[in-house]
């Protein structure tokens, strides 16, 4: 009898791990037969890919263990936020954030990756009011405080005595942070900084958690000392009184109002009028202001922006996560949904059998995998270079800055468009909030503008590429991901060096395709650099020349980032030892590379990398690969290992019971609380009584 009870408990726990309380109204013992068949016919073990995505079998085990702590905690049970007002959504999110903090302490979870995993389950992956406290405020303290400051501030932040946000963007300036107008003027007579918002455009605008949640802010302001502006520096500014949470003197702070999404977060404004803070409230790990006002400059001016580089690096991984979620929903639903006729008189097929549906989804699925591996690379690279910086080696900081900016833009643009493509691939039901796709889109699309507007990010990368090209052209060796310019620039005496060089590209060989992407990137970097030089010779003004070459520069950055992604995806395959997994991931890598060529044929033709007959072969090969991926598609999205709580989607349910659950979800609408809405009696009945 006991064994039977344990069996029932185990079954409920298993099903519960795939059921989201907001979308699962009863436990089904049956799996949708279409999804069941898809999983049974897959030719590889999804668990092996899950381990690869996590980094190891042990990391998968630990991630699931951490997630289970949240999944099995009744206090962390999810509410359905779709039917709540914005104020109610904020309150629920803040309650969950406070509870999350307690649970992290209770379970002794302190590893940053594990905190992220735990939070992801607790919050549906939705934004939450304390996100910037954990994601930017605390990392900035860790990265830019002196040892003395760190000892003072970090324990307070860790215990939520200080609840912080990161106040950089202003009403009038965002990505162009050198033009920020907030001032911090040092007063040596009191050893204080005096902070001011001198204009309406200098009001801090957008920081998450600023409106109602935070009591401190790290404020980026123009430092003035000894009569000189020393540029942007970071300051810890108390904004609300401890105990009462009321704004401090000189502080005007509040919520900026409804947005496209992010209803759970109090994005805020901050206006300061002669706010005084102690000298020690300037973050002084790299730059210092001495008691008499003497300024000690940092080893590199880019160190002030270390938190942004960190966030941009992490956003690449977020691009993979969010696109993977969208692909999971769309692929599973496409296996469940039957529509129209492939052959007259036969049953309606799964829409995943239509080549056009495959062409929408499978390149995006390949892209999601590519971005996962790029995200791993960026995280590892950031940690490695940060370690070097702490040892005094700043040599790789410029490339890290450029790489994080470009890949942030490249991945978020593509992921945002891909999420919307997945939504439309789900037909009308994708428009319902129950699908989860609208929330994924409105939550993710701000990444295209926050932490650097994407076009500006691409131009920052272009500046590094042009500089590297110039160095290589003058005989200096450049390293890292731009090392391909060493060989290429040496052939610059030819009018069109790539076009003049015969190329042999095997469209079925990944290493050959990596070379093709390399040559395309080199050609576009060279073209942009030469066009910039020509503009300089004509206009004699570097700013005008840069602006008039900016379209070419963005194209060069895009090509460089595309090459990096293809290169890293191809390199990752060398780590795969299982034959079946290697085969399907190689197919995805090939799909990613060939689909990229088919969408950018002009670049490859113009650079002389591929011929027109080869482009025709590429397009045909892409269609052939769709058929190869088709029987593996559901298993490939299963390998992302999203529980239903993470997806929060009726359409993407693991068990495929879509229609029953959607009907139950709809009945929860507040409009259905009464059979006849009160507005009928106010507005419609009077009209009808006159008829």
């Amino acid at each position: 009898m006991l064994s039977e009870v344990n069996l029932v408990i185990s079954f409920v726990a298993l099903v519960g791990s795939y059921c989201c309380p907001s979308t699962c109204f009863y436990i089904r013992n049956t799996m949708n037969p279409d999804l069941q068949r898809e999983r049974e016919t897959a030719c590889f073990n999804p668990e092996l890919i899950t381990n690869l995505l996590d980094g190891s079998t042990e990391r998968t085990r630990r991630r699931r263990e951490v997630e289970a702590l949240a999944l099995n905690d009744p206090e962390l049970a999810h509410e359905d936020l779709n039917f709540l007002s914005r104020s109610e959504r904020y309150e629920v999110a803040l309650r969950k954030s406070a509870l999350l903090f307690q649970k992290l302490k209770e379970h002794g979870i302190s590893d940053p990756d594990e905190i992220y995993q735990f939070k992801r389950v607790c919050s549906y992956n939705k934004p939450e009011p304390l996100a910037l406290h954990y994601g930017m405020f605390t990392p900035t303290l860790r990265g830019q405080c002196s040892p003395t400051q760190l000892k003072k501030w970090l324990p307070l932040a860790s215990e939520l005595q200080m609840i912080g946000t990161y106040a950089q963007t202003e009403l009038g300036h965002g990505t162009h942070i050198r033009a920020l107008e907030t001032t911090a003027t040092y007063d040596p007579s009191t050893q204080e900084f005096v902070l001011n918002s001198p204009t309406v455009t200098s009001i801090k605008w957008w920081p998450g958690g600023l409106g109602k949640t935070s009591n401190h802010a790290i404020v980026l302001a123009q430092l003035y000392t000894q009569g000189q502006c020393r540029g942007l520096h970071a300051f810890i500014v108390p904004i609300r009184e401890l105990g009462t949470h009321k704004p401090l003197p000189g502080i005007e702070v509040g919520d900026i109002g409804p947005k496209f999404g992010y209803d759970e977060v109090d994005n805020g404004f901050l206006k300061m009028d002669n706010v005084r803070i102690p000298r020690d409230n300037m973050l002084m790990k790299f730059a210092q202001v001495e008691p008499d006002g003497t300024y000690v400059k940092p080893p590199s001016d880019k160190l002030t922006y270390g938190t942004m580089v960190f966030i941009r690096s992490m956003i690449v991984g977020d691009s993979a996560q969010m696109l993977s979620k969208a692909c999971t929903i769309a692929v599973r639903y496409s296996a469940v949904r039957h529509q129209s006729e492939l052959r007259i008189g036969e049953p309606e097929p799964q829409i995943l059998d239509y080549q056009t549906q495959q062409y929408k989804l499978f390149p995006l699925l390949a892209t999601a995998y590519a971005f996962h591996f790029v995200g791993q690379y960026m995280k590892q690279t950031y940690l490695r270079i940060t370690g070097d910086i702490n040892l005094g080696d700043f040599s790789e900081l410029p490339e890290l800055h450029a790489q994080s900016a470009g890949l942030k833009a490249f991945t978020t643009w593509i992921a945002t468009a891909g999420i919307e493509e997945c939504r439309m691939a789900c037909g009308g039901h994708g428009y319902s909030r129950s699908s989860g796709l609208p929330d994924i889109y409105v939550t993710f699309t701000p990444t295209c503008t926050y932490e650097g507007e994407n076009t500006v990010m691409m131009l920052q990368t272009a500046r590094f590429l042009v500089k590297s090209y110039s160095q290589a052209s003058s005989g200096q060796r450049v390293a890292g991901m731009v090392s391909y310019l060493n060989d290429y620039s040496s052939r610059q005496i030819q009018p069109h060096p790539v076009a003049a060089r015969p190329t042999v590209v095997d469209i079925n060989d990944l290493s050959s395709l990596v070379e093709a992407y390399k040559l395309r990137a080199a050609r576009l970097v060279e073209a942009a650099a030469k066009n910039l030089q020509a503009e300089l010779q004509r206009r004699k003004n570097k700013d005008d020349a840069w602006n008039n070459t900016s379209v070419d520069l963005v194209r060069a950055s895009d090509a460089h980032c595309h090459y990096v992604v293809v290169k890293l995806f191809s390199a990752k395959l060398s780590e795969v030892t299982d034959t079946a997994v290697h085969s399907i991931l190689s197919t995805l890598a090939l799909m990613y590379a060939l689909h990229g060529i088919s969408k950018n044929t002009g670049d490859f033709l113009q650079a002389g990398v591929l011929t027109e007959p080869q482009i025709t072969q590429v397009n045909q090969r892409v269609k052939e690969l769709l058929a190869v991926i088709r029987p593996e598609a559901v298993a490939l999205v299963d390998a992302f290992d999203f529980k239903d709580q993470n997806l929060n989607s009726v359409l993407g349910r693991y068990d495929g019971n879509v229609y029953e659950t959607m009907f139950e979800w709809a009945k929860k609408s507040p409009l259905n609380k009464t059979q006849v809405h009160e507005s009928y009696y106010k507005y419609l009945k009077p009209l009808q009584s006159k008829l």
Side-chain angles (χ1 to χ4, degrees):
M1 181 65 180
L2 182 60
S3 61
E4 293 176 357
V5 172
N6 289 336
L7 182 61
V8 171
I9 292 173
S10 299
F11 173 76
V12 172
L14 175 63
V15 177
S17 71
Y18 291 115
C19 291
C20 173
S22 68
T23 56
C24 185
F25 301 92
Y26 47 85
I27 295 176
R28 291 284 302 258
N29 292 338
T30 59
M31 181 74 65
N32 178 280
D34 290 316
L35 281 181
Q36 185 69 35
R37 184 178 62 256
E38 297 286 344
R39 292 178 174 123
E40 290 173 351
T41 57
C43 294
F44 67 95
N45 181 0
E47 182 74 5
L48 297 178
I49 294 185
T50 302
N51 298 157
L52 184 68
L53 296 174
D54 285 326
S56 69
T57 303
E58 172 58 25
R59 288 184 179 178
T60 296
R61 184 202 64 78
R62 178 56 181 162
R63 173 181 58 77
R64 288 173 176 165
E65 184 177 58
V66 169
E67 291 177 349
L69 292 174
L71 292 170
N72 299 326
D73 191 328
E75 290 188 275
L76 295 173
H78 292 304
E79 298 98 320
D80 191 334
L81 303 180
N82 287 299
F83 303 122
L84 301 182
S85 69
R86 179 168 179 246
S87 180
E88 290 170 332
R89 288 174 78 128
Y90 167 72
E91 183 175 353
V92 169
L94 188 58
R95 181 190 70 81
K96 189 66 69 68
S97 291
L99 190 58
L100 169 67
F101 169 73
Q102 297 172 22
K103 295 294 182 179
L104 288 171
K105 291 183 65 177
E106 178 183 320
H107 296 302
I109 298 174
S110 58
D111 178 81
D113 286 338
E114 293 183 2
I115 290 174
Y116 174 73
Q117 291 156 6
F118 192 82
K119 286 177 61 182
R120 187 171 62 192
V121 174
C122 291
S123 65
Y124 276 178
N125 254 359
K126 289 182 180 294
E128 42 107 6
L130 290 178
L132 259 67
H133 174 84
Y134 291 111
M136 295 194 74
F137 184 79
T138 303
T140 303
L141 294 181
R142 293 182 187 277
Q144 299 194 36
C145 278
S146 68
T148 301
Q149 291 175 320
L150 197 62
K151 186 177 180 180
K152 174 183 178 180
W153 296 113
L154 190 58
L156 295 173
S158 298
E159 293 298 320
L160 286 188
Q161 300 304 304
M162 288 175 62
I163 301 173
T165 187
Y166 189 85
Q168 174 178 295
T169 300
E170 296 175 355
L171 193 53
H173 289 93
T175 303
H176 184 44
I177 61 175
R178 290 196 304 275
L180 295 179
E181 300 175 79
T182 302
T183 60
T185 305
Y186 184 65
D187 180 354
S189 66
T190 61
Q191 294 191 27
E192 293 175 314
F193 292 101
V194 184
L195 282 92
N196 277 289
S197 307
T199 64
V200 67
T201 50
S202 70
I203 297 170
K204 294 297 182 182
W205 200 269
W206 278 114
L210 177 61
K212 294 295 176 184
T213 307
S214 299
N215 55 31
H216 285 73
I218 289 177
V219 174
L220 261 67
Q222 302 286 357
L223 167 63
Y224 286 85
T225 182
Q226 296 181 332
Q228 295 184 49
C229 180
R230 308 293 186 172
L232 285 176
H233 291 73
F235 303 84
I236 298 176
V237 181
I239 59 175
R240 288 186 170 92
E241 184 180 40
L242 297 180
T244 69
H245 211 59
K246 293 181 179 180
L248 291 166
I251 296 289
E252 187 175 354
V253 62
D255 180 79
I256 65 171
K259 308 164 291 284
F260 188 45
Y262 269 64
D263 289 334
E264 300 81 13
V265 176
D266 53 324
N267 297 85
F269 63 80
L270 172 64
K271 186 176 185 297
M272 293 173 289
D273 183 15
N274 291 319
V275 174
R276 287 181 171 265
I277 59 173
R279 182 181 68 90
D280 289 343
N281 281 37
M282 173 181 161
L283 302 188
M284 294 197 192
K285 180 176 182 179
F286 300 112
Q288 294 93 37
V289 171
E290 296 179 351
D292 65 354
T294 300
Y295 177 69
V296 180
K297 67 179 182 178
S300 169
D301 58 358
K302 289 183 173 61
L303 291 171
T304 304
Y305 315 134
T307 302
M308 287 191 301
V309 173
F310 166 72
I311 295 297
R312 289 169 187 167
S313 298
M314 296 304 103
I315 285 174
V316 176
D318 288 341
S319 298
Q321 281 285 322
M322 301 304 267
L323 183 56
S324 297
K325 288 178 70 176
C327 286
T328 300
I329 294 167
V331 168
R332 285 180 180 169
Y333 178 63
S334 296
V336 169
R337 180 75 170 184
H338 290 251
Q339 187 80 26
S340 301
E341 294 177 327
L342 269 176
R343 301 178 185 88
I344 296 176
E346 293 189 5
E348 292 182 300
Q350 298 161 277
I351 60 174
L352 198 56
D353 286 338
Y354 288 100
Q355 189 183 70
T356 50
Q357 187 78 345
Q358 296 167 12
Y359 190 72
K360 292 174 185 176
L361 297 180
F362 294 171
L364 292 175
L365 181 56
T367 302
Y369 271 92
F371 288 0
H372 268 289
F373 300 136
V374 177
Q376 290 176 351
Y377 168 83
M378 284 304 300
K379 179 181 176 181
Q380 294 163 2
T381 301
Y382 175 83
L383 293 174
R384 177 179 60 78
I385 295 178
T386 300
D388 292 341
I389 289 172
N390 290 332
L391 295 175
D393 180 0
F394 303 97
S395 60
E396 292 189 78
L397 182 57
E399 181 172 12
L400 175 62
H401 186 270
Q403 200 82 287
S404 64
L407 286 172
K408 178 265 185 187
F410 183 82
T411 58
T412 56
W413 264 334
I414 291 172
T416 297
I419 293 165
E420 175 65 357
E421 182 78 359
C422 287
R423 184 191 68 77
M424 291 189 289
C426 291
H429 289 331
Y431 191 66
S432 170
R433 295 271 293 261
S434 70
S435 74
L437 291 164
D439 277 346
I440 295 174
Y441 183 82
V442 299
T443 298
F444 186 73
T445 190
T447 58
C448 293
T449 48
Y450 70 54
E451 302 314 314
E453 191 278 329
N454 278 358
T455 300
V456 178
M457 293 298 93
M458 283 296 197
L459 288 170
Q460 287 186 10
T461 303
R463 198 173 296 277
F464 177 77
L465 291 173
V466 169
K467 181 179 180 180
S468 298
Y469 177 82
S470 299
Q471 290 172 333
S473 298
S474 64
Q476 300 179 54
R477 301 291 294 180
V478 293
M481 285 293 183
V482 294
S483 60
Y484 61 87
L485 295 174
N486 291 320
D487 296 332
Y488 187 78
S489 60
S490 66
R491 300 193 300 272
Q492 65 176 334
I493 55 172
Q494 301 176 23
H496 296 287
V498 174
R501 175 188 177 187
T503 58
V504 179
V505 176
D506 181 352
I507 66 169
N508 290 299
D509 179 67
L510 272 172
S511 60
S512 184
L513 292 173
V514 171
E515 182 70 15
Y517 272 88
K518 179 200 298 185
L519 293 173
R520 173 210 180 201
R523 175 69 180 88
L524 287 174
V525 170
E526 180 203 43
K530 287 187 173 181
N531 289 345
L532 177 62
Q533 187 60 39
E535 285 288 333
L536 281 169
Q537 292 174 352
R538 282 196 294 269
R539 299 176 183 277
K540 308 298 183 183
N541 182 298
K542 64 179 183 180
D543 297 321
D544 288 341
W546 184 264
N547 183 49
N548 283 285
T549 320
S550 57
V551 171
D552 301 326
L553 293 165
V554 169
R555 286 185 65 205
S557 292
D558 183 86
H560 170 76
C561 292
H562 209 163
Y563 156 67
V564 169
V565 176
V566 173
K567 177 182 174 67
L568 292 175
F569 198 168
S570 177
K572 190 69 179 182
L573 296 175
S574 64
E575 302 177 20
V576 182
T577 56
D578 183 86
T579 303
V581 171
H582 189 280
S583 176
I584 189 59
L585 289 181
S586 296
T587 299
L588 289 178
L590 197 60
M591 168 63 81
Y592 180 77
L594 293 176
H595 186 261
I597 290 173
S598 72
K599 292 297 183 182
N600 298 276
T601 54
D603 289 349
F604 290 91
L605 288 171
Q606 190 174 18
V609 178
L610 294 170
T611 63
E612 287 190 35
Q614 284 179 309
I615 295 296
T616 300
Q617 293 171 13
V618 165
N619 293 331
Q620 180 59 34
R621 186 67 178 126
V622 167
K623 290 185 288 186
E624 293 170 357
L625 291 175
L626 296 176
V628 176
I629 296 170
R630 167 62 187 89
E632 317 297 337
V634 170
L636 282 167
V637 298
D638 284 352
F640 293 137
D641 203 29
F642 291 118
K643 303 300 184 288
D644 283 350
Q645 286 92 331
N646 298 129
L647 288 178
N648 193 28
S649 169
V650 166
L651 302 188
R653 290 170 59 93
Y654 184 85
D655 64 12
N657 294 312
V658 170
Y659 303 121
E660 304 93 334
T661 314
M662 180 173 281
F663 182 48
E664 294 296 328
W665 182 87
K667 288 193 289 186
K668 291 181 64 179
S669 170
L671 286 176
N672 293 324
K673 286 184 177 180
T674 59
Q675 288 298 316
V676 180
H677 195 271
E678 60 183 14
S679 59
Y680 166 78
Y681 299 103
K682 293 179 181 179
Y683 308 115
L684 292 182
K685 189 172 182 179
L687 290 176
Q688 294 173 335
S689 65
K690 297 176 182 179
L691 298 178

